[in-house]
Amino acid sequence: MHPPALAIIGWSNSGKTTLLTRLVPELHQCGLRVGVVKHSSHAHPLHPEGSDTARYTEAGAALVAFATPAGVQLSFPEPPEHVLSLLGRFVDTVDLVLVEGWKHGPLPKLEVWREGLGPLLAPSYPEVLAVVSESPLPEGLPRFTPDEVPALAAFLQQCLRGGLLRAKEGP
């Protein structure tokens, strides 16, 4: 079992990160403990080549932590599709996990869409619960503007209470 989670999807430069940096404190003010995962389809070294932490990973460590006065970064040598099982380890730590990206993943989704960057993704992803956009949308999905963060937070709390923020079951 993993904490309730929602993927924030959209084209590059659509405003996903900006929305998350505004949404997290709003949900926190509502009393929710929110975790955030950045999902990337691009290779990104978690540990710089030759660093101590890279050497621990290469040696087969099941978990590598990098601790500084600013906090602790944990990494697990797991493929991205195992992110939900990893999140299960934190079910008592967070009430909701927001995942930036992972449009092909099994999570319910919130699309951030800006006209001119690419077509609306929601018609191709039935898991999209709502869209954040300045532009009008076809009928059928709730729409919030990027400035309606309190209303979006209230909507997500309703989804959370209604059990809508659970991953679809897969093989």
PDB file of all heavy atoms in Angstrom, residues 8-40:
ATOM      1  N   ILE A   8       1.292  15.202 -11.757  1.00  0.00           N
ATOM      2  CA  ILE A   8       1.073  16.511 -12.373  1.00  0.00           C
ATOM      3  C   ILE A   8       1.754  16.442 -13.730  1.00  0.00           C
ATOM      4  O   ILE A   8       2.982  16.392 -13.808  1.00  0.00           O
ATOM      5  CB  ILE A   8       1.693  17.652 -11.526  1.00  0.00           C
ATOM      6  CG1 ILE A   8       1.309  17.532 -10.050  1.00  0.00           C
ATOM      7  CG2 ILE A   8       1.343  19.010 -12.115  1.00  0.00           C
ATOM      8  CD1 ILE A   8      -0.158  17.642  -9.748  1.00  0.00           C
ATOM      9  N   ILE A   9       0.946  16.391 -14.799  1.00  0.00           N
ATOM     10  CA  ILE A   9       1.506  16.184 -16.128  1.00  0.00           C
ATOM     11  C   ILE A   9       1.318  17.430 -16.989  1.00  0.00           C
ATOM     12  O   ILE A   9       0.487  18.287 -16.683  1.00  0.00           O
ATOM     13  CB  ILE A   9       0.885  14.955 -16.829  1.00  0.00           C
ATOM     14  CG1 ILE A   9      -0.607  15.172 -17.144  1.00  0.00           C
ATOM     15  CG2 ILE A   9       1.084  13.695 -15.970  1.00  0.00           C
ATOM     16  CD1 ILE A   9      -1.220  14.129 -18.070  1.00  0.00           C
ATOM     17  N   GLY A  10       2.064  17.498 -18.065  1.00  0.00           N
ATOM     18  CA  GLY A  10       1.944  18.610 -19.003  1.00  0.00           C
ATOM     19  C   GLY A  10       3.208  18.702 -19.835  1.00  0.00           C
ATOM     20  O   GLY A  10       4.222  18.064 -19.534  1.00  0.00           O
ATOM     21  N   TRP A  11       3.136  19.489 -20.865  1.00  0.00           N
ATOM     22  CA  TRP A  11       4.271  19.693 -21.743  1.00  0.00           C
ATOM     23  C   TRP A  11       5.361  20.456 -21.007  1.00  0.00           C
ATOM     24  O   TRP A  11       5.090  21.158 -20.026  1.00  0.00           O
ATOM     25  CB  TRP A  11       3.842  20.460 -23.005  1.00  0.00           C
ATOM     26  CG  TRP A  11       2.859  19.689 -23.827  1.00  0.00           C
ATOM     27  CD1 TRP A  11       1.504  19.874 -23.861  1.00  0.00           C
ATOM     28  CD2 TRP A  11       3.132  18.594 -24.700  1.00  0.00           C
ATOM     29  NE1 TRP A  11       0.925  18.962 -24.698  1.00  0.00           N
ATOM     30  CE2 TRP A  11       1.900  18.168 -25.232  1.00  0.00           C
ATOM     31  CE3 TRP A  11       4.298  17.930 -25.081  1.00  0.00           C
ATOM     32  CZ2 TRP A  11       1.806  17.105 -26.139  1.00  0.00           C
ATOM     33  CZ3 TRP A  11       4.197  16.879 -25.983  1.00  0.00           C
ATOM     34  CH2 TRP A  11       2.968  16.477 -26.497  1.00  0.00           C
ATOM     35  N   SER A  12       6.584  20.341 -21.480  1.00  0.00           N
ATOM     36  CA  SER A  12       7.705  21.079 -20.907  1.00  0.00           C
ATOM     37  C   SER A  12       7.392  22.577 -20.935  1.00  0.00           C
ATOM     38  O   SER A  12       6.852  23.086 -21.914  1.00  0.00           O
ATOM     39  CB  SER A  12       8.965  20.778 -21.722  1.00  0.00           C
ATOM     40  OG  SER A  12      10.076  21.400 -21.149  1.00  0.00           O
ATOM     41  N   ASN A  13       7.697  23.256 -19.864  1.00  0.00           N
ATOM     42  CA  ASN A  13       7.457  24.703 -19.696  1.00  0.00           C
ATOM     43  C   ASN A  13       5.987  25.085 -19.590  1.00  0.00           C
ATOM     44  O   ASN A  13       5.638  26.244 -19.788  1.00  0.00           O
ATOM     45  CB  ASN A  13       8.134  25.514 -20.817  1.00  0.00           C
ATOM     46  CG  ASN A  13       9.628  25.408 -20.747  1.00  0.00           C
ATOM     47  OD1 ASN A  13      10.208  25.521 -19.674  1.00  0.00           O
ATOM     48  ND2 ASN A  13      10.267  25.176 -21.882  1.00  0.00           N
ATOM     49  N   SER A  14       5.134  24.127 -19.245  1.00  0.00           N
ATOM     50  CA  SER A  14       3.706  24.445 -19.093  1.00  0.00           C
ATOM     51  C   SER A  14       3.389  25.072 -17.738  1.00  0.00           C
ATOM     52  O   SER A  14       2.322  25.645 -17.564  1.00  0.00           O
ATOM     53  CB  SER A  14       2.856  23.188 -19.301  1.00  0.00           C
ATOM     54  OG  SER A  14       3.165  22.206 -18.332  1.00  0.00           O
ATOM     55  N   GLY A  15       4.300  24.933 -16.767  1.00  0.00           N
ATOM     56  CA  GLY A  15       4.068  25.524 -15.450  1.00  0.00           C
ATOM     57  C   GLY A  15       3.888  24.502 -14.340  1.00  0.00           C
ATOM     58  O   GLY A  15       3.404  24.850 -13.257  1.00  0.00           O
ATOM     59  N   LYS A  16       4.283  23.261 -14.564  1.00  0.00           N
ATOM     60  CA  LYS A  16       4.111  22.217 -13.550  1.00  0.00           C
ATOM     61  C   LYS A  16       4.874  22.539 -12.262  1.00  0.00           C
ATOM     62  O   LYS A  16       4.305  22.475 -11.172  1.00  0.00           O
ATOM     63  CB  LYS A  16       4.573  20.856 -14.100  1.00  0.00           C
ATOM     64  CG  LYS A  16       3.798  20.363 -15.306  1.00  0.00           C
ATOM     65  CD  LYS A  16       4.283  19.015 -15.800  1.00  0.00           C
ATOM     66  CE  LYS A  16       5.722  18.997 -16.262  1.00  0.00           C
ATOM     67  NZ  LYS A  16       6.027  19.752 -17.456  1.00  0.00           N
ATOM     68  N   THR A  17       6.145  22.873 -12.393  1.00  0.00           N
ATOM     69  CA  THR A  17       6.962  23.159 -11.206  1.00  0.00           C
ATOM     70  C   THR A  17       6.436  24.387 -10.475  1.00  0.00           C
ATOM     71  O   THR A  17       6.314  24.384  -9.242  1.00  0.00           O
ATOM     72  CB  THR A  17       8.438  23.352 -11.607  1.00  0.00           C
ATOM     73  OG1 THR A  17       8.897  22.164 -12.253  1.00  0.00           O
ATOM     74  CG2 THR A  17       9.307  23.655 -10.393  1.00  0.00           C
ATOM     75  N   THR A  18       6.095  25.419 -11.223  1.00  0.00           N
ATOM     76  CA  THR A  18       5.554  26.638 -10.606  1.00  0.00           C
ATOM     77  C   THR A  18       4.274  26.322  -9.846  1.00  0.00           C
ATOM     78  O   THR A  18       4.080  26.770  -8.711  1.00  0.00           O
ATOM     79  CB  THR A  18       5.308  27.717 -11.672  1.00  0.00           C
ATOM     80  OG1 THR A  18       6.550  28.012 -12.319  1.00  0.00           O
ATOM     81  CG2 THR A  18       4.720  28.975 -11.075  1.00  0.00           C
ATOM     82  N   LEU A  19       3.396  25.526 -10.461  1.00  0.00           N
ATOM     83  CA  LEU A  19       2.161  25.148  -9.774  1.00  0.00           C
ATOM     84  C   LEU A  19       2.470  24.376  -8.495  1.00  0.00           C
ATOM     85  O   LEU A  19       1.896  24.659  -7.438  1.00  0.00           O
ATOM     86  CB  LEU A  19       1.268  24.311 -10.692  1.00  0.00           C
ATOM     87  CG  LEU A  19      -0.027  23.819 -10.032  1.00  0.00           C
ATOM     88  CD1 LEU A  19      -0.954  24.982  -9.698  1.00  0.00           C
ATOM     89  CD2 LEU A  19      -0.722  22.801 -10.917  1.00  0.00           C
ATOM     90  N   LEU A  20       3.380  23.417  -8.568  1.00  0.00           N
ATOM     91  CA  LEU A  20       3.712  22.627  -7.382  1.00  0.00           C
ATOM     92  C   LEU A  20       4.274  23.485  -6.261  1.00  0.00           C
ATOM     93  O   LEU A  20       3.940  23.276  -5.087  1.00  0.00           O
ATOM     94  CB  LEU A  20       4.704  21.523  -7.747  1.00  0.00           C
ATOM     95  CG  LEU A  20       4.065  20.284  -8.363  1.00  0.00           C
ATOM     96  CD1 LEU A  20       5.107  19.408  -9.040  1.00  0.00           C
ATOM     97  CD2 LEU A  20       3.318  19.497  -7.304  1.00  0.00           C
ATOM     98  N   THR A  21       5.114  24.458  -6.597  1.00  0.00           N
ATOM     99  CA  THR A  21       5.692  25.307  -5.546  1.00  0.00           C
ATOM    100  C   THR A  21       4.639  26.188  -4.891  1.00  0.00           C
ATOM    101  O   THR A  21       4.844  26.676  -3.777  1.00  0.00           O
ATOM    102  CB  THR A  21       6.847  26.177  -6.080  1.00  0.00           C
ATOM    103  OG1 THR A  21       6.370  27.029  -7.110  1.00  0.00           O
ATOM    104  CG2 THR A  21       7.997  25.313  -6.580  1.00  0.00           C
ATOM    105  N   ARG A  22       3.513  26.382  -5.546  1.00  0.00           N
ATOM    106  CA  ARG A  22       2.409  27.144  -4.950  1.00  0.00           C
ATOM    107  C   ARG A  22       1.401  26.223  -4.263  1.00  0.00           C
ATOM    108  O   ARG A  22       0.779  26.604  -3.273  1.00  0.00           O
ATOM    109  CB  ARG A  22       1.724  27.982  -6.033  1.00  0.00           C
ATOM    110  CG  ARG A  22       2.671  29.052  -6.590  1.00  0.00           C
ATOM    111  CD  ARG A  22       2.039  29.884  -7.675  1.00  0.00           C
ATOM    112  NE  ARG A  22       0.951  30.675  -7.101  1.00  0.00           N
ATOM    113  CZ  ARG A  22      -0.110  31.076  -7.797  1.00  0.00           C
ATOM    114  NH1 ARG A  22      -0.222  30.792  -9.066  1.00  0.00           N
ATOM    115  NH2 ARG A  22      -1.053  31.794  -7.212  1.00  0.00           N
ATOM    116  N   LEU A  23       1.232  25.016  -4.811  1.00  0.00           N
ATOM    117  CA  LEU A  23       0.242  24.080  -4.296  1.00  0.00           C
ATOM    118  C   LEU A  23       0.694  23.415  -2.991  1.00  0.00           C
ATOM    119  O   LEU A  23      -0.108  23.216  -2.079  1.00  0.00           O
ATOM    120  CB  LEU A  23      -0.065  23.022  -5.360  1.00  0.00           C
ATOM    121  CG  LEU A  23      -1.191  22.042  -5.085  1.00  0.00           C
ATOM    122  CD1 LEU A  23      -2.507  22.765  -4.811  1.00  0.00           C
ATOM    123  CD2 LEU A  23      -1.334  21.081  -6.272  1.00  0.00           C
ATOM    124  N   VAL A  24       1.973  23.076  -2.891  1.00  0.00           N
ATOM    125  CA  VAL A  24       2.463  22.393  -1.688  1.00  0.00           C
ATOM    126  C   VAL A  24       2.195  23.215  -0.424  1.00  0.00           C
ATOM    127  O   VAL A  24       1.623  22.688   0.539  1.00  0.00           O
ATOM    128  CB  VAL A  24       3.957  22.005  -1.835  1.00  0.00           C
ATOM    129  CG1 VAL A  24       4.540  21.568  -0.500  1.00  0.00           C
ATOM    130  CG2 VAL A  24       4.115  20.908  -2.887  1.00  0.00           C
ATOM    131  N   PRO A  25       2.565  24.512  -0.376  1.00  0.00           N
ATOM    132  CA  PRO A  25       2.268  25.258   0.863  1.00  0.00           C
ATOM    133  C   PRO A  25       0.767  25.422   1.121  1.00  0.00           C
ATOM    134  O   PRO A  25       0.334  25.455   2.270  1.00  0.00           O
ATOM    135  CB  PRO A  25       2.940  26.616   0.660  1.00  0.00           C
ATOM    136  CG  PRO A  25       3.433  26.665  -0.733  1.00  0.00           C
ATOM    137  CD  PRO A  25       3.354  25.295  -1.317  1.00  0.00           C
ATOM    138  N   GLU A  26      -0.011  25.500   0.053  1.00  0.00           N
ATOM    139  CA  GLU A  26      -1.473  25.618   0.226  1.00  0.00           C
ATOM    140  C   GLU A  26      -2.040  24.351   0.872  1.00  0.00           C
ATOM    141  O   GLU A  26      -2.856  24.416   1.791  1.00  0.00           O
ATOM    142  CB  GLU A  26      -2.137  25.867  -1.134  1.00  0.00           C
ATOM    143  CG  GLU A  26      -3.599  26.176  -1.064  1.00  0.00           C
ATOM    144  CD  GLU A  26      -3.919  27.557  -0.483  1.00  0.00           C
ATOM    145  OE1 GLU A  26      -3.125  28.496  -0.674  1.00  0.00           O
ATOM    146  OE2 GLU A  26      -4.979  27.675   0.159  1.00  0.00           O
ATOM    147  N   LEU A  27      -1.599  23.188   0.398  1.00  0.00           N
ATOM    148  CA  LEU A  27      -2.050  21.921   0.986  1.00  0.00           C
ATOM    149  C   LEU A  27      -1.507  21.755   2.408  1.00  0.00           C
ATOM    150  O   LEU A  27      -2.195  21.230   3.286  1.00  0.00           O
ATOM    151  CB  LEU A  27      -1.620  20.750   0.099  1.00  0.00           C
ATOM    152  CG  LEU A  27      -2.343  20.667  -1.245  1.00  0.00           C
ATOM    153  CD1 LEU A  27      -1.651  19.670  -2.177  1.00  0.00           C
ATOM    154  CD2 LEU A  27      -3.813  20.311  -1.063  1.00  0.00           C
ATOM    155  N   HIS A  28      -0.292  22.231   2.626  1.00  0.00           N
ATOM    156  CA  HIS A  28       0.287  22.185   3.972  1.00  0.00           C
ATOM    157  C   HIS A  28      -0.546  23.024   4.946  1.00  0.00           C
ATOM    158  O   HIS A  28      -0.794  22.609   6.080  1.00  0.00           O
ATOM    159  CB  HIS A  28       1.744  22.676   3.931  1.00  0.00           C
ATOM    160  CG  HIS A  28       2.412  22.665   5.262  1.00  0.00           C
ATOM    161  ND1 HIS A  28       2.833  21.500   5.883  1.00  0.00           N
ATOM    162  CD2 HIS A  28       2.719  23.681   6.113  1.00  0.00           C
ATOM    163  CE1 HIS A  28       3.363  21.811   7.045  1.00  0.00           C
ATOM    164  NE2 HIS A  28       3.320  23.121   7.206  1.00  0.00           N
ATOM    165  N   GLN A  29      -0.994  24.192   4.486  1.00  0.00           N
ATOM    166  CA  GLN A  29      -1.858  25.045   5.320  1.00  0.00           C
ATOM    167  C   GLN A  29      -3.170  24.349   5.661  1.00  0.00           C
ATOM    168  O   GLN A  29      -3.780  24.641   6.680  1.00  0.00           O
ATOM    169  CB  GLN A  29      -2.169  26.358   4.608  1.00  0.00           C
ATOM    170  CG  GLN A  29      -1.139  27.422   4.821  1.00  0.00           C
ATOM    171  CD  GLN A  29      -1.654  28.755   4.302  1.00  0.00           C
ATOM    172  OE1 GLN A  29      -2.161  28.845   3.172  1.00  0.00           O
ATOM    173  NE2 GLN A  29      -1.504  29.781   5.110  1.00  0.00           N
ATOM    174  N   CYS A  30      -3.594  23.425   4.799  1.00  0.00           N
ATOM    175  CA  CYS A  30      -4.823  22.662   5.035  1.00  0.00           C
ATOM    176  C   CYS A  30      -4.580  21.482   5.973  1.00  0.00           C
ATOM    177  O   CYS A  30      -5.488  20.694   6.223  1.00  0.00           O
ATOM    178  CB  CYS A  30      -5.387  22.148   3.715  1.00  0.00           C
ATOM    179  SG  CYS A  30      -5.875  23.442   2.567  1.00  0.00           S
ATOM    180  N   GLY A  31      -3.335  21.338   6.441  1.00  0.00           N
ATOM    181  CA  GLY A  31      -3.026  20.273   7.378  1.00  0.00           C
ATOM    182  C   GLY A  31      -2.501  18.997   6.741  1.00  0.00           C
ATOM    183  O   GLY A  31      -2.365  17.985   7.437  1.00  0.00           O
ATOM    184  N   LEU A  32      -2.212  19.016   5.455  1.00  0.00           N
ATOM    185  CA  LEU A  32      -1.712  17.814   4.787  1.00  0.00           C
ATOM    186  C   LEU A  32      -0.190  17.781   4.775  1.00  0.00           C
ATOM    187  O   LEU A  32       0.462  18.807   4.571  1.00  0.00           O
ATOM    188  CB  LEU A  32      -2.222  17.747   3.340  1.00  0.00           C
ATOM    189  CG  LEU A  32      -3.713  17.538   3.162  1.00  0.00           C
ATOM    190  CD1 LEU A  32      -4.081  17.590   1.682  1.00  0.00           C
ATOM    191  CD2 LEU A  32      -4.147  16.207   3.756  1.00  0.00           C
ATOM    192  N   ARG A  33       0.360  16.605   4.981  1.00  0.00           N
ATOM    193  CA  ARG A  33       1.797  16.379   4.831  1.00  0.00           C
ATOM    194  C   ARG A  33       2.000  15.917   3.391  1.00  0.00           C
ATOM    195  O   ARG A  33       1.532  14.847   3.015  1.00  0.00           O
ATOM    196  CB  ARG A  33       2.282  15.320   5.811  1.00  0.00           C
ATOM    197  CG  ARG A  33       2.066  15.714   7.278  1.00  0.00           C
ATOM    198  CD  ARG A  33       2.290  14.555   8.216  1.00  0.00           C
ATOM    199  NE  ARG A  33       1.345  13.476   7.852  1.00  0.00           N
ATOM    200  CZ  ARG A  33       1.459  12.216   8.269  1.00  0.00           C
ATOM    201  NH1 ARG A  33       2.444  11.852   9.048  1.00  0.00           N
ATOM    202  NH2 ARG A  33       0.573  11.308   7.905  1.00  0.00           N
ATOM    203  N   VAL A  34       2.671  16.736   2.599  1.00  0.00           N
ATOM    204  CA  VAL A  34       2.789  16.497   1.161  1.00  0.00           C
ATOM    205  C   VAL A  34       4.223  16.111   0.807  1.00  0.00           C
ATOM    206  O   VAL A  34       5.172  16.792   1.191  1.00  0.00           O
ATOM    207  CB  VAL A  34       2.384  17.755   0.349  1.00  0.00           C
ATOM    208  CG1 VAL A  34       2.507  17.507  -1.145  1.00  0.00           C
ATOM    209  CG2 VAL A  34       0.958  18.170   0.715  1.00  0.00           C
ATOM    210  N   GLY A  35       4.356  15.027   0.073  1.00  0.00           N
ATOM    211  CA  GLY A  35       5.639  14.623  -0.485  1.00  0.00           C
ATOM    212  C   GLY A  35       5.636  14.936  -1.974  1.00  0.00           C
ATOM    213  O   GLY A  35       4.581  14.956  -2.601  1.00  0.00           O
ATOM    214  N   VAL A  36       6.802  15.211  -2.537  1.00  0.00           N
ATOM    215  CA  VAL A  36       6.906  15.518  -3.962  1.00  0.00           C
ATOM    216  C   VAL A  36       7.987  14.629  -4.574  1.00  0.00           C
ATOM    217  O   VAL A  36       9.062  14.458  -4.002  1.00  0.00           O
ATOM    218  CB  VAL A  36       7.253  17.005  -4.209  1.00  0.00           C
ATOM    219  CG1 VAL A  36       7.398  17.287  -5.696  1.00  0.00           C
ATOM    220  CG2 VAL A  36       6.199  17.910  -3.596  1.00  0.00           C
ATOM    221  N   VAL A  37       7.670  14.063  -5.733  1.00  0.00           N
ATOM    222  CA  VAL A  37       8.612  13.264  -6.505  1.00  0.00           C
ATOM    223  C   VAL A  37       8.740  13.903  -7.868  1.00  0.00           C
ATOM    224  O   VAL A  37       7.734  14.227  -8.506  1.00  0.00           O
ATOM    225  CB  VAL A  37       8.109  11.806  -6.670  1.00  0.00           C
ATOM    226  CG1 VAL A  37       9.020  11.019  -7.613  1.00  0.00           C
ATOM    227  CG2 VAL A  37       7.992  11.119  -5.315  1.00  0.00           C
ATOM    228  N   LYS A  38       9.965  14.103  -8.324  1.00  0.00           N
ATOM    229  CA  LYS A  38      10.215  14.593  -9.685  1.00  0.00           C
ATOM    230  C   LYS A  38      10.509  13.369 -10.545  1.00  0.00           C
ATOM    231  O   LYS A  38      11.457  12.642 -10.298  1.00  0.00           O
ATOM    232  CB  LYS A  38      11.403  15.562  -9.691  1.00  0.00           C
ATOM    233  CG  LYS A  38      11.920  15.927 -11.069  1.00  0.00           C
ATOM    234  CD  LYS A  38      10.933  16.752 -11.842  1.00  0.00           C
ATOM    235  CE  LYS A  38      11.543  17.155 -13.184  1.00  0.00           C
ATOM    236  NZ  LYS A  38      10.641  17.915 -13.993  1.00  0.00           N
ATOM    237  N   HIS A  39       9.676  13.127 -11.539  1.00  0.00           N
ATOM    238  CA  HIS A  39       9.885  12.000 -12.455  1.00  0.00           C
ATOM    239  C   HIS A  39      10.429  12.556 -13.758  1.00  0.00           C
ATOM    240  O   HIS A  39       9.927  13.551 -14.276  1.00  0.00           O
ATOM    241  CB  HIS A  39       8.559  11.271 -12.712  1.00  0.00           C
ATOM    242  CG  HIS A  39       8.703  10.098 -13.622  1.00  0.00           C
ATOM    243  ND1 HIS A  39       8.624  10.214 -14.981  1.00  0.00           N
ATOM    244  CD2 HIS A  39       8.936   8.802 -13.362  1.00  0.00           C
ATOM    245  CE1 HIS A  39       8.788   9.028 -15.528  1.00  0.00           C
ATOM    246  NE2 HIS A  39       8.985   8.152 -14.559  1.00  0.00           N
ATOM    247  N   SER A  40      11.458  11.921 -14.268  1.00  0.00           N
ATOM    248  CA  SER A  40      12.048  12.370 -15.532  1.00  0.00           C
ATOM    249  C   SER A  40      12.215  11.193 -16.468  1.00  0.00           C
ATOM    250  O   SER A  40      12.584  10.094 -16.043  1.00  0.00           O
ATOM    251  CB  SER A  40      13.418  13.017 -15.277  1.00  0.00           C
ATOM    252  OG  SER A  40      14.005  13.394 -16.505  1.00  0.00           O
TER     253      SER A  40
END
